[in-house]
Amino acid sequence: MKLWLFGLYGIVATTAVAGDRAVKKGITDTTGLVSSLPVFKDLERYSPLNFDQFGGHEIRALDRDLYSELFSHWEENQHFDYRILKELEGDLKDIKAKKGTALNCGSGVLEELKPVSTLEDEGLSLEQIVERIEKDILEFKDDETVAINVASTEPVIPYDQEVHGSVKGFERAIKENRKDRISASMIYAYVSLKNGIPYGNFTPSAGSGIPALKELAEKNGVPHAGNDGKTGETLVKTTLAPMFAYRNLKVLGWMGYNILGDLDGKVLSHKQNKESKVVSKDKVVSKILGYEPYTITEINYFPSLQDNKTAFDFIHYQGFLGTKMKFYFTWDAVDAIVAAPLVLDIARFLNFAKKKGVKGVVKELAFFFKSPMDTDEYNTHKQFETLVNWYRSLK
């Protein structure tokens, strides 16, 4: 089994690869991996944890290798034991990224990740960009290759029925060089699904969520899932909000204030890039409760935190006899450490789904996402039950 990562040199991708290799070498255990829970023990027969090969696209540091980038992230964050890092050097030095695209990724990406080098910088047309991306992936893929998008968050592209509504329209837009309506995540998803590669969108970017690419996945019999990995504050929200519903307590308001550093924080400090992330995080409470309390969701860049993401949540609720009360919680975690294992989980379950003949949106993987496709179930407890039941039914 092989894994292709869009955004290969980011801290989430490099940490995911490091984790896989560390487990393979026996220098760490599988804590944090949902797919390694006892209920999924037979998954190893279909989708072994230790991937045979890693590859991916990137728009920066293309003269470097994955270990060098992981080391740079480690110097800033020291997010795991240094002894693990040094033991992995020989395993990661040979993994090098291919040049990708940052089409319609916004100022957050182009300014904060600079210097960047993209395919569009070479003056290539949209069709030529797709061909280059496809060439890279086809040289890498085998029958058990999965692709996951862990690149930076893109701004929202307005929906265009003519372009996004059908495969025919999407491919016509590629031929006509409609760069204004197609983003990097759409290109990555298109190339993956076109070539029978299961695709997971770990970002809130459009990815495979547009109708044209959902149609392509069904047509080609390819499973895909997304959007936006549920790793921290939103995981707590979707676990805690059902408690208020179960107890018939009325949530009057829910404020979530997030601060983070690192490149993710820099990119999200730009309004356009932040927009889709805020929408993804904000809507889950009303979806679970069935009504819309007053909500505030804010994300701000805090440089010194690096990859430590902190969220302060305040919940105002009403109980018996109309009495108003308050609940507070703080989430503090190393973002890459809570995100990276889910990337491996999603890849394993998507490969399992393909082997079992599943095609189109795998809504049963909603447990892993803030904005799961094709389902209105946001309750973490019910999502996990759905995941387990789906796995058992296919196994």
Side-chain angles (χ1 to χ4, degrees):
M1 184 176 170
K2 297 181 179 181
L3 182 56
W4 189 266
L5 296 164
F6 303 111
L8 180 64
Y9 287 168
I11 190 170
V12 172
T14 55
T15 304
V17 176
D20 177 85
R21 288 296 180 254
V23 172
K24 185 176 183 178
K25 293 172 78 76
I27 54 178
T28 192
D29 61 22
T30 57
T31 300
L33 284 158
V34 175
S35 57
S36 291
L37 286 169
V39 70
F40 304 118
K41 64 181 180 180
D42 293 333
L43 186 61
E44 192 70 18
R45 290 168 45 199
Y46 306 96
S47 296
L49 172 59
N50 304 129
F51 294 82
D52 297 320
Q53 194 174 342
F54 292 92
H57 282 103
E58 188 52 80
I59 59 170
R60 56 199 168 93
L62 293 167
D63 58 333
R64 290 161 64 86
D65 57 73
L66 189 137
Y67 180 78
S68 299
E69 287 303 291
L70 175 63
F71 193 90
S72 295
H73 291 305
W74 189 91
E75 284 186 309
E76 291 185 349
N77 295 284
Q78 299 182 22
H79 51 306
F80 57 89
D81 195 306
Y82 180 74
R83 291 169 294 182
I84 295 177
L85 179 71
K86 292 307 295 179
E87 283 205 45
L88 296 175
E89 183 171 4
D91 300 86
L92 306 181
K93 273 284 187 183
D94 293 334
I95 302 174
K96 296 184 177 180
K98 299 287 188 178
K99 184 186 292 188
T101 174
L103 194 64
N104 289 313
C105 285
S107 60
V109 170
L110 296 177
E111 291 179 17
E112 302 299 347
L113 271 61
K114 64 183 180 183
V116 301
S117 180
T118 68
L119 293 172
E120 51 269 25
D121 290 340
E122 298 180 19
L124 301 182
S125 68
L126 193 50
E127 190 169 25
Q128 290 171 322
I129 291 171
V130 169
E131 288 173 354
R132 282 276 293 274
I133 298 292
E134 188 169 36
K135 179 177 180 291
D136 294 334
I137 290 179
L138 289 179
E139 288 176 351
F140 176 86
K141 79 177 283 283
D142 61 11
D143 291 337
E144 293 190 44
T145 297
V146 176
I148 305 286
N149 180 23
V150 285
S152 297
T153 301
E154 301 168 353
V156 176
I157 289 187
Y159 180 75
D160 185 328
Q161 174 63 27
E162 183 182 351
V163 175
H164 305 137
S166 68
V167 177
K168 184 177 180 180
F170 190 82
E171 292 182 334
R172 182 171 59 245
I174 291 173
K175 292 184 184 301
E176 293 176 354
N177 204 31
R178 292 289 306 276
K179 289 183 177 180
D180 60 323
R181 284 292 178 263
I182 294 178
S183 68
S185 69
M186 294 179 194
I187 292 172
Y188 291 145
Y190 171 71
V191 172
S192 300
L193 298 174
K194 178 186 175 186
N195 291 284
I197 300 172
Y199 171 88
N201 187 16
F202 205 72
T203 80
S205 306
S208 61
I210 60 174
L213 299 185
K214 289 183 179 180
E215 178 191 337
L216 181 63
E218 290 282 351
K219 177 183 175 183
N220 289 351
V222 190
H224 64 117
N227 300 306
D228 199 5
K230 185 164 65 173
T231 61
E233 185 223 16
T234 308
L235 174 64
V236 180
K237 275 184 174 180
T238 56
T239 304
L240 187 60
M243 179 196 73
F244 291 96
Y246 300 154
R247 278 298 315 276
N248 197 19
L249 299 169
K250 184 178 181 180
V251 175
L252 303 172
W254 195 310
M255 182 280 292
Y257 182 67
N258 300 257
I259 54 174
L260 69 159
D262 222 341
L263 292 176
D264 192 26
K266 284 184 177 181
V267 170
L268 293 176
S269 68
H270 291 250
K271 184 178 179 181
Q272 282 186 319
N273 296 78
K274 184 193 294 188
E275 182 183 357
S276 57
K277 191 76 172 180
V278 170
V279 170
S280 179
K281 291 171 72 67
D282 190 57
K283 68 182 179 181
V284 297
V285 171
S286 60
K287 289 286 187 179
I288 290 171
L289 297 176
Y291 57 91
E292 295 187 6
Y294 179 76
T295 59
I296 298 173
T297 300
E298 189 57 73
I299 305 172
N300 282 320
Y301 178 50
F302 201 98
S304 60
L305 280 179
Q306 295 298 341
D307 202 48
N308 276 90
K309 184 179 287 186
T310 301
F312 307 94
D313 277 54
F314 167 75
I315 305 153
H316 200 205
Y317 67 99
Q318 181 177 304
F320 198 45
L321 299 175
T323 302
K324 294 178 181 179
M325 296 168 279
K326 306 174 186 70
F327 185 99
Y328 312 82
F329 74 82
T330 302
W331 171 268
D332 187 348
V334 178
D335 198 40
I337 295 299
V338 292
L342 300 190
V343 173
L344 303 177
D345 287 329
I346 293 165
R348 295 182 73 192
F349 281 117
L350 282 173
N351 185 54
F352 170 73
K354 181 181 179 182
K355 287 186 173 182
K356 292 298 181 178
V358 177
K359 64 180 181 179
V361 176
V362 188
K363 60 184 179 181
E364 293 84 359
L365 296 185
F367 174 78
F368 295 105
F369 300 103
K370 294 185 185 75
S371 299
M373 290 192 284
D374 292 5
T375 178
D376 286 323
E377 186 55 78
Y378 286 74
N379 182 324
T380 297
H381 312 284
K382 294 181 179 179
Q383 287 176 338
F384 186 72
E385 289 177 9
T386 298
L387 175 65
V388 171
N389 292 335
W390 170 78
Y391 173 74
R392 284 174 172 165
S393 69
L394 291 176
K395 178 172 71 71

